[in-house]
Amino acid sequence: MYSAELLFSKHLRKLRKNSNLTQEKLAEKAGIEYKYVQMLEGKKPPSPTLRTLTKIAKALEMQAWELIRFD
């Protein structure tokens, strides 16, 4: 069974790649550190704050809730 953080990590990577963005470009668009995006997509990701989720969602041109919908 996967943790919520790991599910988010895999989902974020998929969404980022579907948007044809590198980790660096996503970080730039979201106004967050590249290393943090790298951590979020890693094997032991931290839990992002709501503020960070909102920034990432805006950068990916979607709603924040779509980032945590792991269908």
Side-chain angles (χ1 to χ4, degrees):
M1 179 178 238
Y2 291 110
S3 69
E5 291 85 0
L6 195 52
L7 288 172
F8 173 76
S9 175
K10 291 176 181 295
H11 188 59
L12 176 59
R13 185 179 307 113
K14 178 182 164 190
L15 292 171
R16 177 183 57 76
K17 288 184 176 187
N18 288 346
S19 296
N20 295 315
L21 294 173
T22 63
Q23 289 178 336
E24 294 89 348
K25 189 63 177 174
L26 175 59
E28 180 183 316
K29 287 182 73 169
I32 59 178
E33 294 291 325
Y34 154 70
K35 290 286 186 182
Y36 191 62
V37 173
Q38 196 173 41
M39 287 171 49
L40 288 173
E41 291 188 8
K43 295 194 185 299
K44 293 185 179 180
S47 296
T49 64
L50 185 55
R51 177 175 286 178
T52 300
L53 286 176
T54 303
K55 288 178 175 185
I56 292 170
K58 186 175 179 180
L60 292 172
E61 300 177 7
M62 60 179 48
Q63 299 295 315
W65 65 265
E66 293 175 282
L67 290 174
I68 56 172
R69 186 172 180 201
F70 311 129
D71 294 344

